Each structure stands twice: as structure tokens, then as C-alpha cells.
Amino acid sequence: MTFRCTLALLSLCAGMSARGVQRDSSSVATGLGERLSPAGHFMHEVYRNPAAQVYRFKTSLTTIGLSGSYRQEDEAVVSQVGRGNRYAAFDAQSYIRRGKNTVWGGAGYRLGRTMHTEWNENADFELLYPYVWADSVGGNLISERYAFAGGFAREFGRVAWGIYADYRAEIEYRTVDPRPKSVVSDLNLSTGATLSLGECYRLGTSVNLRVYRQKSSMSFYAPLGGPKLYQMLGLGMYSTRFSSSENNTSVYFSGRTYGAGLELFPRDGAGLFLSVHYSGWAVRRILPGYQKLPLTRLVDNVFDGALGWQGQSGIHHWGIKLSGNYAKRLGTEYIYGDASGSQNYPKLGAVEQYRNNRTDLVLSALWGFEEMRGWSFYAEPRGRYYDFEATYLSPSRKMQLGKVGCGAGLTVEKRLRRSVLHLSVSADYLANRTAELKLDGLDMDGSIGQMMQRNFGHLSADMTLYGASFRWNYDFPRASMALYVQGDWQHGSFADGNRSDYARIVFGVAF
């Protein structure tokens, strides 16, 4: 996988865009307006179905951007994720309408580093936790990512059908001891169909499959070796038997997701909409150094959905939506006897030790207006409810967090003769409503105990977030294209004194 592959896909997308439609600068401006408008994103959940992409945008558009981003936390909110990151990225996206056919796709490349991770030496911590490989030293991680995506959809009378695929290849490594190296392969496939219900509504259904692999290895250049490597089990627990041997130098994750969804939405974007989706994720952790022994199995069942109404009258837009998800994550540990000679470790049983329930609900509203030539304004108030509970069976351990909050976003846009100025500001407050940490049998003064207390303290603290985004588009009518520059900024303040900052700048072209 090389950067040449990214450029080749980009050239293909650009060529399809140029041949597929004849556009002028007004269509480019209209396409950018569609994609920047909060009204255009309000019911984004229904477009998870590839067939629904036929109705998403009225105009074709291709964008190419170069960006740089920065994220920093005074102290890592979650030690396993790190204190921040620095990334440089290239991204190309294309959406092309050609008669009854719609083609969309993208390509991306990202290079950078994650700052000072601790107690995690695997990529994709949010996907694999709590079953990660860890040590007490950690450090910065260099990462390189390639991503490709493409989809096709077509209308056949009252029926539309679509297919979509995306692939991510990523490598993370460190050039000082301890020296982990993780290689990720992540493939997603989905297909779906929609059926017309009269002139106004579409009923859709979709299915998806995910195939995931991660290979991780560890090496030390120091003559005396390195720190102990832990096979973590959740809430500070780890496998004593498989964490302290010379065979503990690599780990392999193999996982799959099966999912299905149902959607109901208005064709013209005004009316009732509903999206319901289920996905079941299962991944095994395998130890190659122990005759490819499966150590753990993780299952995550996720239900997410959205129900709302979006309306329009003249230049005015409004909407209300309840969206969210509920997830139940279960972790099973396999129990083995002693290996004899060349024989594999005999499997004696399995026990479900780890459970994690998560609920996240958001009630949001939208109101605004868009003048064809002049000002646009949107207000988006919202309220949020969040609950997280993780338990370990024996010894009995528990971490529970609960938050409620509210916030709002404001968007203002001014259209000039050959340019568009776009400004968004937002503010959110999340207050802790419940917090409990119970860690029976754990040395709270030890390194693992201190890490658990730090994570819990930051995650349970009241939090305020506020940010701003600025974008300037400039049209070139004769070339049927536009240049743009965008800047994003966000600051987080925690009641325990911790702070976080994020900034990104993008330079791009649209045609």
C-alpha cells in the first residue's frame, strides 16, 4: 500500500466527475452549500443505507483537501488513548449523479503520532477494550493510515439499490523501547435497497459486514530486556499466567461484525424520518507464542437509532430529533490446562467475567433560514444523557459513570459575489450525576491502581466544551471550481482542573 494508490483513486474520481456532468461555478457553489448546511445533515442517520445515497444530494461535487491537526490534554483523560496527537492528512471525496446512477467514493492518507499512551500497546483501543496488550511505560506512537471507499446506487422505478465498501490499512509503532508494532486491516461492506411509499416517502433496509484483523508484536533493543507485558482483562485485572513469559511477544485479533438496519425517510428531506440499526461485533484475542491459543472473546451488541421530523417552508428550515445508542459488551476468558510436549493447551472451560453497558441519548432541534443570495442562520439546541457501567465478576469490581448535559450550536453564513463566509460556534456542558469505582483486591498505590483512579477521576468530572469553526470558499467561475480554507478549534475544561485543546486547518479545492 503506497501513496501512489491514493493518487490513482483520486485521479479516477476526478475523471469520473469531469465526464459525468457538465457544471459551472453556480453548481459548485450549490454543492458546497448543500454539504455545509445544517439542514442537509439533520437526518444523516438514514444515509447509512447505500441505496439512500441516491436521494442525499442534488448536485455532484468532488473535494480535495490537505489538513493538519493538533490535540492536547494536560493529563490524558483515558491513559490508554494518550494525551493527544499530531496529524497531517490528505483527503479526497467525490459524489457524482449521472442520470439514475449515483457514484461516490473517497481516498485518504494520514501520517502523525499519538502522544504518550500508557497501559495500551494496541491500535483501536475503543474497539478492543478491555482486552488489550499493555505495559507501564508506554510512550509516543507513530501512525500511518491509508483509507479507500466507494459506493454505487441506482434507481429502478419505485426501487433503489446500492452497495458500498471501505477499507482501512494502518500501522502504529514506536522507535524506542518498548517497541510495539501493530498492523491493522479493516474492511466494511454494506448493501441495501429502498422502496417508494407513494410520492413522498422511502422505506429502506440494509445489511453490513465487517472483517477486522490486527497483528501486534513487541521488541526490545536494550540488552536487559524491557518492562513486563500484561494481557489485560478489564478494570485492572490481567492474566497472570500469560503475562510473564518469553513467549508473550505477539498478539493477534480477529473479528467480524454483522449488522442490519431499517430506514423510513422523506425523499425531498421534509417530513418524518426513522432509522434503526443493529450490529453484533465479535473478536478473539489469540496468542501466537502459545500455539495460537485463543485467550479471550469479546462480543459487543449495539443498537442505535434516530426518530425525528424535519420541515421546510420557503427559506425557513426546522426539525426535532431523538437519537442515540445502547450497547452491551461481554468479555469471556478461556481457561486452559498445562500443555504437554507438542500438544496444545487443553481447554477446560470459559467464564464470562466482563460486562459493559453503555447508553447515549441526544435530543436535538434545528431552526434556521437560508437566503439564496445573502445571509443564512441556524440555531441547534441539544440535551444529552449518558451512562456507562462496567463490571468484573470475580473479584468483584465496578466502574459506573453517568452524565447529563445541554448545549447549542450557531451557524452563520454570508454569500458574497464570488465567495462564501461560514462561521459556526458551539458550547456544551456535561454534569456528573453518578459515579462509583469499586476495585476489590487491587493495590490502589500500584501503577495499575493509580491509572484506574486517574481515568475515573477525569471521566467522572463535570466538563465544559466550546469551539468555533471558520470556512471561506472562493469561486473561480471560468474554471468551474472553488478554493477553500477552513479552521476548527475546540477547548475542553474539566472540573478536576484538566484541560483539552483541539485545532485543525484545511486547505482544499472543490469542483
Side-chain angles (χ1 to χ4, degrees), residues 258-470:
Y258 298 94
L262 181 70
E263 303 86 20
L264 175 68
F265 60 96
R267 175 175 181 147
D268 63 359
L272 177 73
F273 62 92
L274 169 70
S275 173
V276 180
H277 192 272
Y278 163 78
S279 64
W281 160 251
V283 60
R284 292 194 309 164
R285 173 172 48 177
I286 300 168
L287 305 184
Y290 292 90
Q291 302 171 352
K292 298 183 179 180
L293 176 145
L295 182 62
T296 57
R297 183 173 186 266
L298 189 69
V299 175
D300 200 26
N301 295 300
V302 182
F303 301 86
D304 59 67
L307 173 64
W309 177 278
Q310 186 168 359
Q312 179 181 357
S313 178
I315 65 172
H316 293 90
H317 300 259
W318 63 87
I320 187 168
K321 176 175 68 174
L322 177 64
S323 61
N325 63 75
Y326 170 77
K328 186 172 185 178
R329 181 169 291 205
L330 304 174
T332 300
E333 301 171 19
Y334 296 115
I335 303 171
Y336 295 93
D338 294 329
S340 57
S342 61
Q343 299 299 313
N344 292 334
Y345 290 82
K347 182 179 175 181
L348 304 180
V351 58
E352 186 182 281
Q353 288 272 40
Y354 181 82
R355 292 189 177 187
N356 174 213
N357 298 325
R358 307 170 322 269
T359 303
D360 193 0
L361 297 174
V362 178
L363 178 64
S364 57
L366 170 78
W367 180 87
F369 63 86
E370 295 186 19
E371 298 177 347
M372 290 299 296
R373 296 188 179 277
W375 291 93
S376 295
F377 173 83
Y378 280 97
E380 300 175 83
R382 52 187 170 263
R384 184 179 180 187
Y385 170 91
Y386 178 76
D387 186 76
F388 176 99
E389 182 181 16
T391 59
Y392 195 87
L393 181 62
S394 179
S396 177
R397 296 184 179 183
K398 179 179 180 180
M399 176 189 285
Q400 184 172 11
L401 307 165
K403 291 181 180 290
V404 293
C406 61
L410 298 176
T411 300
V412 179
E413 186 175 278
K414 174 62 177 176
R415 295 175 178 85
L416 304 174
R417 189 173 67 90
R418 291 182 58 179
S419 64
V420 178
L421 300 176
H422 184 96
L423 175 66
S424 298
V425 295
S426 65
D428 291 272
Y429 176 73
L430 289 173
N432 179 58
R433 61 178 183 82
T434 183
E436 181 182 357
L437 182 64
K438 175 187 175 185
L439 300 172
D440 288 357
L442 181 63
D443 179 8
M444 303 305 283
D445 294 324
S447 55
I448 296 179
Q450 290 179 6
M451 175 271 294
M452 291 294 300
Q453 292 178 86
R454 285 196 306 269
N455 284 358
F456 178 75
H458 296 319
L459 291 170
S460 62
D462 293 356
M463 178 174 58
T464 303
L465 295 172
Y466 45 91
S469 176
F470 172 81

Side-chain angles (χ1 to χ4, degrees), residues 89-100:
F90 161 87
D91 183 71
Q93 300 291 329
S94 190
Y95 179 94
I96 303 161
R97 295 181 60 91
R98 193 173 185 180
K100 294 185 177 182

Side-chain angles (χ1 to χ4, degrees), residues 135-211:
D135 61 67
S136 60
V137 178
N140 298 343
L141 285 168
I142 300 170
S143 70
E144 187 173 7
R145 171 185 293 182
Y146 298 86
F148 304 92
F152 172 81
R154 178 179 172 85
E155 275 191 292
F156 301 90
R158 296 180 58 204
V159 176
W161 171 84
I163 188 170
Y164 173 80
D166 67 64
Y167 178 75
R168 171 176 64 101
E170 187 164 359
I171 181 171
E172 283 192 354
Y173 61 95
R174 187 182 298 125
T175 56
V176 296
D177 287 358
R179 300 170 188 258
K181 181 181 179 181
S182 296
V183 179
V184 173
S185 172
D186 190 5
L187 174 66
N188 289 274
L189 302 170
S190 61
T191 186
T194 65
L195 174 67
S196 298
L197 302 180
E199 293 297 323
C200 298
Y201 282 90
R202 299 293 183 267
L203 178 66
T205 184
S206 61
V207 294
N208 66 280
L209 167 69
R210 181 180 194 174
V211 180

Side-chain angles (χ1 to χ4, degrees), residues 34-114:
E34 274 191 292
R35 289 152 179 82
L36 289 175
S37 170
H41 294 280
F42 194 65
M43 62 172 70
H44 66 88
E45 293 88 353
V46 303
Y47 300 113
R48 189 170 186 168
N49 184 337
Q53 290 288 335
V54 170
Y55 314 105
R56 185 163 196 180
F57 299 118
K58 298 177 181 178
T59 56
S60 299
L61 188 71
T62 296
T63 60
I64 304 170
L66 295 173
S67 66
S69 65
Y70 163 93
R71 184 184 297 276
Q72 183 68 42
E73 297 168 354
D74 289 353
E75 188 172 272
V77 177
V78 178
S79 298
Q80 292 85 345
V81 178
R83 292 183 185 173
N85 50 58
R86 317 282 190 269
Y87 292 132
F90 161 87
D91 183 71
Q93 300 291 329
S94 190
Y95 179 94
I96 303 161
R97 295 181 60 91
R98 193 173 185 180
K100 294 185 177 182
N101 297 327
T102 301
V103 181
W104 69 100
Y109 173 78
R110 192 188 74 182
L111 177 65
R113 64 179 63 227
T114 302

